[in-house]
């Protein structure tokens, strides 16, 4: 009897949840609790941390989870590490849906950096119009270069003061090439800071930057634990022992 735990919060996780619901499989969808009004899922849903790897192992036992699918974002490294440790400790099968990173095209102007601190360092010294498309959790270090005119994009309105003067767009995406081109042109964006999330939901800004010939400071992914990885919902449904009835 399958009873899966989906570590979600991504468009891939949402597609998987729909396929699992259609297949009539038992599963629980888990959000980390980063946004105020996360999208509804066609599965029982829980929100918030488990209390580290041990907390997750306890949850797996308590809820009689038979399979864990890590469908979190490639930068959700702590969650992925905890899932690998908890599944090893509890002997629970684990699989990850992992998006292929975006590959730099010949006409892309990317400055590839390892982390947020290097992204700050890669920005010019003289004032520029900079679009930070990295959400709310990682913007504080950019306060080291307050000379820039920043545009930020958050899923939810900011709570309280920002660490520096900035213009905030509140939008949850997915985004389109048209809307990204429009936004970058009207705001006179000169630099974009992005993370190599992969997938379709965030890539419109990368295509828009290429079209406008703008430099992108691209933050590479953190190392993730070794675990079986697949790229498609159909493969995960096979793994869960059921044919994906996508589109059925
Ligand atoms: C809570 C669930 C869907 C899924 C929507 C995808 C696409 C739009 C693109 C930019 C980049 C960013 C950010 C982004 C995208 C999809 C997808 C995707 C990037 C929601 C969601 C949750 C989150 C958390 C949120 C983070 C933030 C990151 C904004 C729901 C809407 C920048 C990732 O304001 C904050 O604190 C936002 C926090 C974590 C930043 C970060 O640290 O990575 N995602 N995003 C998940 C949870 O609680 O478990 O609210 O419904 C999901 C989506 N975000 O089809 O409906 O392919 O997944 N999300 C990045 O670096 O790319 C935006 O602005 O161009
Ligand atoms: P993170 O730094 O790897 O995780 C930090 C802690 O948050 C984890 O140790 C865990 O707490 C809790 N957590 C994270 N994801 C969780 C989940 N799905 N269910 C339950 N607890 C979770 O994570 P993050 O980078 O902040 O990402 C948080 C969430 O936002 C994830 O669901 C991720 O998929 C989503 N996200 C989506 C996008 C996107 O583009 N779609 C981008 C970034 C993040 P405990 O240690 O207490 O268990």
């Amino acid at each position: 009897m399958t009873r899966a735990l989906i570590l979600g919060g991504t468009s891939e996780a949402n597609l998987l949840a729909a396929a699992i619901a259609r297949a009539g499989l038992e599963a629980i969808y888990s959000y980390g609790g980063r946004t105020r009004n996360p999208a509804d899922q066609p599965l029982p849903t829980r929100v918030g941390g488990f209390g580290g790897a041990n907390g997750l192992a306890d949850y797996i036992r308590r809820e009689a989870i038979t399979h864990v699918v890590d469908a979190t974002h490639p930068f959700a490294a702590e969650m992925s590490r905890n899932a690998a440790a908890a599944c090893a400790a509890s002997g629970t099968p684990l699989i990850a849906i992992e998006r292929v990173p975006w590959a730099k095209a010949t006409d892309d102007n990317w400055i590839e950096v390892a982390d947020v601190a290097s992204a700050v360092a890669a920005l010019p010294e003289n004032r520029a119009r900079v679009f930070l498309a990295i959400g709310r959790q990682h913007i504080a270090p950019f306060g080291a270069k307050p000379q820039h005119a920043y545009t930020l994009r958050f899923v939810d309105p900011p709570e309280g003061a920002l660490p520096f003067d900035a213009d905030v767009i509140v939008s949850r995406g997915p985004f389109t090439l048209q809307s990204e081109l429009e936004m970058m042109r009207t705001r006179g964006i000169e630099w974009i800071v992005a993370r190599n999330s992969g997938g379709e939901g965030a890539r419109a800004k990368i295509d828009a930057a290429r079209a406008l010939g703008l430099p992108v400071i691209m933050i590479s992914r953190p190392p993730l634990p070794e675990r079986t990885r697949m790229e498609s919902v159909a493969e995960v449904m096979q793994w869960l022992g059921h044919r994906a009835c996508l589109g059925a």
Side-chain angles (χ1 to χ4, degrees):
M1 174 67 181
T2 301
R3 186 163 155 74
L5 171 65
I6 315 298
L7 300 174
T10 60
S11 37
E12 290 75 10
N14 298 350
L15 290 171
L16 176 64
I20 285 178
R22 270 201 298 273
L25 273 181
E26 236 193 295
I28 297 167
Y29 190 101
S30 181
Y31 278 118
R34 293 289 176 283
T35 53
R36 281 195 211 145
N37 306 300
D40 292 334
Q41 296 299 334
L43 297 173
T45 300
R46 67 172 298 289
V47 180
F50 297 96
N54 293 338
L56 176 54
D58 292 346
Y59 179 88
I60 287 170
R61 291 187 192 99
R62 202 169 54 243
E63 292 291 330
I65 298 296
T66 59
H67 296 75
V68 175
V69 182
D70 180 353
T72 60
H73 187 264
F75 280 76
E78 188 179 356
M79 186 69 258
S80 295
R81 280 196 301 275
N82 289 354
C87 290
S90 58
T92 310
L94 167 68
I95 200 166
I97 300 188
E98 211 167 281
R99 308 160 169 178
V100 178
W102 298 314
K104 182 180 168 307
T106 40
D107 44 353
D108 276 328
N109 174 3
W110 288 5
I111 298 104
E112 299 190 70
V113 296
D115 51 33
V116 172
S118 317
V120 179
L123 280 175
E125 285 313 314
N126 46 6
R127 182 175 168 79
R129 305 187 63 75
V130 181
F131 173 40
L132 298 186
I134 54 172
R136 172 180 47 189
Q137 301 185 98
H138 310 285
I139 58 161
F142 289 89
K145 291 198 173 174
Q147 66 269 35
H148 298 308
Y150 287 105
T151 294
L152 311 178
R153 184 152 65 191
F154 290 172
V155 175
D156 295 316
E159 291 144 359
L162 293 170
F164 46 83
D165 183 24
D167 205 13
V168 180
I169 300 172
V170 178
S171 172
R172 80 173 30 232
F175 308 99
T176 64
L177 176 61
Q178 267 328 99
S179 65
E180 299 289 56
L181 285 169
E182 171 73 22
M183 182 272 289
M184 291 181 189
R185 284 192 183 114
T186 39
R187 290 169 182 269
I189 298 297
E190 297 165 297
W191 288 79
I192 290 105
V193 180
R195 304 186 312 175
N196 197 327
S197 312
E200 293 311 308
R203 81 153 299 135
K205 60 181 175 285
I206 308 304
D207 297 336
R210 183 184 315 113
L212 297 173
L214 298 179
V216 176
I217 297 174
M218 182 65 79
I219 303 171
S220 308
R221 294 178 172 191
L224 289 176
E226 264 314 302
R227 69 269 204 253
T228 310
R229 284 172 297 176
M230 298 187 168
E231 285 167 35
S232 76
V233 167
E235 288 170 296
V236 175
M237 291 303 285
Q238 300 274 344
W239 181 76
L240 287 172
H242 291 257
R243 288 197 51 69
C245 35
L246 290 180

